[in-house]
Amino acid sequence: MEITKVDLRGLESGGRGWDDARDAVTASMVAYGCVVVQHDGFGRDLRQALFGRALPELFGLPVEAKQRNVYDDVQYGGYIGQIPGMAYESMRLQDVSGAGPIRDFAGLLWPQGNPAFCARSDTIGEFAKDGMKLEQTVTRMVLEGLGVRNRKAIDAHHEMLGYHLRMSYYGTSPDQKQDATKVSLPAHRDYVMTNVIVQHEVEGLEVQLSDGSWFAVPPEPDTCIVVAGDLLSVVTNGRVQACLHRVRTPSNRERFATLLGCMPTAGCMVRAMDELVDEDHPLMYRPCDPYAYSDFQYSEQGRKSNDALKDFCGVPKIEPRVLLLRS
Ligand SMILES: O=C(O)CCC(=O)C(=O)O
Ligand SMILES: [Fe+2]
């Protein structure tokens, strides 16, 4: 089985081709918790500036500098790296919706200044802008496709979101055979609302399909994938389930990937859209505090659970038998 790519190039909300693309995006999200798309953003020069220059420079910094990237509000919020046996490092830029936080990030890593990176942080701003636009298009399509007619509710959904960028580096394992692959990130679901994942040249990302097989997402230059996290399950009342995915990289090639993620800003609760709850679709999840959920997902109980979201805020199903007894 394979996931069909949806072409979003040149589409405008409500314009020609929008409805067909919306239906294809929704079908893919419902079936797999993700959608592979071609779209107008992340052009060749931008990718080259980010993956060819900015990221190698960032990950080339001394460990002490990278470790200054700390963010405690969510699990794995800051720098991840130096994990024994794992050739993986990742940095998170907490807020990419404006130029200020991007400049602050550069200032934190290069306190003496780094004009080159600051110029390139425009690269990061451009990249984030393209990713935000894509996320907003895809989520709008999914909510519309599932039957949300209230445009204000969709706008309000986006107004509560903040966007962050995770930049990841997967190193090589020279001790393994030339053509071997290794699991670099074990199978997991993201706790966020959605992640737009861009792979650069080297493959690795795999998503699990309903028959249990793994689909390798092609690292094509004009393609990226939008992956649903657990919070989107809450918003869509379980119609879209978070995507189970993992990373399996070739042992002999370095790999970079970026993830543009979104989460409600602190203090916002995530709840199912009114129009997606009815008699045929009873409420599946209670309103949930996304930051408390991120803690739970990584707690001992959450890690052991097969369905952390259900354990955290699932509404127990009422058996028809019980209803009869009560009536
Ligand atoms: O590197 C990738 O392609 C995806 C990484 C990922 O799934 C994650 O960091 O949550
Ligand atoms: Fe992930």
Side-chain angles (χ1 to χ4, degrees):
M1 233 190 333
E2 87 163 51
I3 301 183
T4 315
K5 222 184 285 180
V6 183
D7 191 349
L8 301 179
R9 288 172 296 184
L11 290 185
E12 292 295 334
S13 177
R16 204 161 148 256
W18 175 269
D19 290 1
D20 289 345
R22 177 198 61 203
D23 294 347
V25 164
T26 308
S28 183
M29 278 296 218
V30 169
Y32 314 117
C34 63
V35 61
V36 178
V37 297
Q38 280 175 297
H39 77 122
D40 298 315
F42 307 139
R44 222 175 64 138
D45 291 351
L46 191 54
R47 281 183 190 234
Q48 191 47 38
L50 184 71
F51 293 109
R53 293 201 299 268
L55 262 55
E57 190 174 348
L58 184 65
F59 287 106
L61 281 168
V63 177
E64 312 78 70
K66 292 184 273 197
Q67 284 173 337
R68 286 199 290 270
N69 176 219
V70 178
Y71 179 71
D72 291 334
D73 282 15
V74 286
Q75 297 295 321
Y76 295 115
Y79 171 66
I80 307 170
Q82 317 308 314
I83 305 168
M86 247 182 129
Y88 166 69
E89 287 184 75
S90 189
M91 297 283 262
R92 176 164 161 141
L93 215 165
Q94 179 45 30
D95 178 1
V96 286
S97 46
I102 300 177
R103 248 194 329 267
D104 293 348
F105 176 79
L108 178 76
L109 291 161
W110 292 277
Q112 291 79 26
N114 179 340
F117 187 88
C118 284
R120 272 171 226 155
S121 62
D122 274 10
T123 309
I124 291 181
E126 282 300 305
F127 200 85
K129 207 160 69 190
D130 285 356
M132 287 191 282
K133 191 160 175 241
L134 175 62
E135 186 283 324
Q136 285 164 10
T137 302
V138 166
T139 303
R140 177 170 294 280
M141 284 182 162
V142 173
L143 294 174
E144 276 183 26
L146 291 174
V148 178
R149 296 282 164 263
N150 181 349
R151 287 185 151 247
K152 284 202 178 129
I154 299 179
D155 292 344
H157 169 79
H158 278 119
E159 275 155 24
M160 75 169 174
L161 298 178
Y163 291 83
H164 58 266
L165 189 69
R166 178 163 280 296
M167 297 161 276
S168 298
Y169 166 72
Y170 299 82
T172 53
S173 301
D175 43 327
Q176 294 198 7
K177 275 208 286 194
Q178 272 289 305
D179 54 352
T181 55
K182 59 186 189 320
V183 174
S184 306
L185 272 193
H188 64 282
R189 293 182 180 85
D190 298 333
Y191 58 71
V192 296
M193 191 69 75
T194 58
N195 259 322
V196 174
I197 305 178
V198 182
Q199 310 185 85
H200 183 60
E201 291 176 355
V202 179
E203 67 281 11
L205 179 63
E206 298 183 342
V207 302
Q208 194 174 53
L209 306 181
S210 46
D211 63 1
S213 62
W214 291 94
F215 170 74
V217 180
E220 296 162 351
D222 61 348
T223 301
C224 67
I225 181 167
V226 184
V227 166
D230 278 328
L231 299 179
L232 195 66
S233 294
V234 177
V235 169
T236 60
N237 195 27
R239 276 353 137 82
V240 171
Q241 287 291 316
C243 175
L244 187 66
H245 57 285
R246 68 181 183 189
V247 179
R248 216 154 56 99
T249 51
S251 306
N252 58 348
R253 293 170 74 197
E254 291 184 323
R255 173 176 185 266
F256 289 110
T258 56
L259 291 82
L260 182 92
C262 56
M263 280 284 275
T265 43
C268 292
M269 295 292 277
V270 177
R271 60 189 77 236
M273 291 249 159
D274 287 345
E275 287 179 88
L276 300 181
V277 184
D278 56 32
E279 226 170 274
D280 294 334
H281 304 94
L283 186 70
M284 280 189 69
Y285 303 104
R286 293 186 307 275
C288 128
D289 173 345
Y291 295 87
Y293 176 62
S294 113
D295 285 345
F296 177 79
Q297 205 204 43
Y298 285 100
S299 67
E300 207 186 322
Q301 194 189 348
R303 281 176 200 269
K304 276 197 207 138
S305 168
N306 284 329
D307 191 339
L309 184 66
K310 192 163 153 213
D311 290 351
F312 184 72
C313 61
V315 174
K317 272 208 181 105
I318 303 174
E319 298 297 332
R321 207 160 26 101
V322 179
L323 282 176
L324 275 179
L325 285 176
R326 286 201 183 141
S327 61

